[in-house]
């Protein structure tokens, strides 16, 4: 049985001009930010800076400072409260065998998941320095990842509408990705 990881489905993950920090530093900042966004939402706002420093105690100080500032900014935005609220789930591991992947097992971890009686929303965090201005301009590799999550969630929650969105951490913008774009990415990703 083949095992597929959504984050390794190929395609570009960044737009042209997204040099920003070096690759290693960008990955380190993204990892630190994921840790903070997983743990800080359930911490009282006044305690978040102290907890952030503890969580990133072994991280390069420059990376820790940038990740902490970004996480605190995201958590303070009123329009992102639902994403980080008590009804959301963090770093949700999924395993599914969606038909679109020809019986292969899909395994991954969704950054944030909101499950409602009629809908499921998967939110993926991206710390790219250059952020697309429209969902259509999102790099293929990111869209394929979202399409894989959507296919897995449709398999797990067949009675609910599946929505996907990207939280661009650089701009603190939650970008819903329309179903048509996810469907097209799924066709590019499907394994026969």
């Amino acid at each position: 049985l083949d095992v597929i990881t959504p984050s390794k489905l190929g395609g570009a993950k960044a737009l042209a001009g997204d040099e920003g920090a070096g690759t290693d530093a960008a990955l380190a900042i993204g990892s630190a930010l994921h840790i903070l966004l997983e743990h800080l939402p359930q911490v009282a706002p006044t305690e978040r800076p102290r907890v952030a420093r503890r969580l990133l105690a072994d991280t390069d100080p420059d990376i820790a400072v940038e990740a902490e500032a970004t996480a605190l900014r995201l958590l303070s935005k009123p329009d992102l409260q639902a994403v980080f609220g008590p009804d959301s789930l963090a770093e949700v591991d999924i395993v599914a065998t969606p038909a679109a992947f020809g019986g292969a097992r899909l395994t991954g971890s969704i950054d944030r998941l909101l499950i409602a009686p009629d809908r499921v929303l998967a939110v993926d965090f991206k710390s790219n320095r250059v952020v697309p201005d429209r969902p259509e301009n999102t790099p293929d590799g990111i869209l394929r990842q979202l399409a894989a999550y959507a296919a897995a969630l449709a398999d797990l929650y067949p009675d609910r509408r599946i929505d996907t969105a990207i939280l661009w951490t650089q701009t603190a913008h939650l970008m819903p990705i329309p179903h048509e774009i996810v469907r097209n990415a799924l066709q590019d990703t499907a394994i026969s």
Side-chain angles (χ1 to χ4, degrees):
L1 186 65
D2 290 333
V3 177
I4 297 171
T5 304
S7 61
K8 296 183 178 165
L9 288 171
K13 298 281 181 107
L15 293 173
D18 193 4
E19 292 84 27
T23 303
D24 291 341
L27 290 173
I29 290 168
S31 295
L33 193 51
H34 273 76
I35 290 168
L36 295 180
L37 293 177
E38 177 181 0
H39 297 285
L40 292 184
Q42 58 264 21
V43 173
T46 57
E47 292 295 311
R48 287 176 179 162
R50 182 185 61 77
V51 173
R53 287 189 287 277
R54 184 176 52 79
L55 288 169
L56 300 182
D58 295 331
T59 303
D60 175 277
D62 292 337
I63 289 170
V65 166
E66 182 175 342
E68 179 184 338
T70 301
L72 295 177
R73 179 173 46 91
L74 292 170
L75 293 172
S76 70
K77 284 203 66 174
D79 60 327
L80 296 178
Q81 293 308 300
V83 172
F84 296 110
D87 293 333
S88 67
L89 303 170
E91 298 297 329
V92 178
D93 291 330
I94 56 165
V95 177
T97 52
F101 287 87
R105 176 173 288 146
L106 193 141
T107 67
S109 182
I110 298 174
D111 294 335
R112 213 75 187 180
L113 192 63
L114 290 83
I115 302 171
D118 62 338
R119 156 184 200 246
V120 175
L121 172 63
V123 178
D124 196 42
F125 305 151
K126 294 299 178 194
S127 53
N128 299 41
R129 301 282 180 182
V130 177
V131 174
D133 56 347
R134 303 176 324 146
E136 297 83 355
N137 296 337
T138 302
D140 290 341
I142 294 172
L143 293 176
R144 289 177 186 174
Q145 184 176 355
L146 289 179
Y149 291 151
L153 290 168
D155 196 49
L156 298 168
Y157 296 96
D159 59 334
R160 300 178 202 196
R161 186 180 84 226
I162 307 300
D163 293 321
T164 58
I166 301 167
L167 175 54
W168 298 103
T169 62
Q170 185 71 21
T171 58
H173 174 65
L174 183 67
M175 179 185 281
I177 304 299
H179 293 278
E180 179 182 331
I181 293 174
V182 174
R183 251 192 321 274
N184 290 342
L186 183 59
Q187 289 173 355
D188 292 343
T189 306
I191 300 192
S192 48

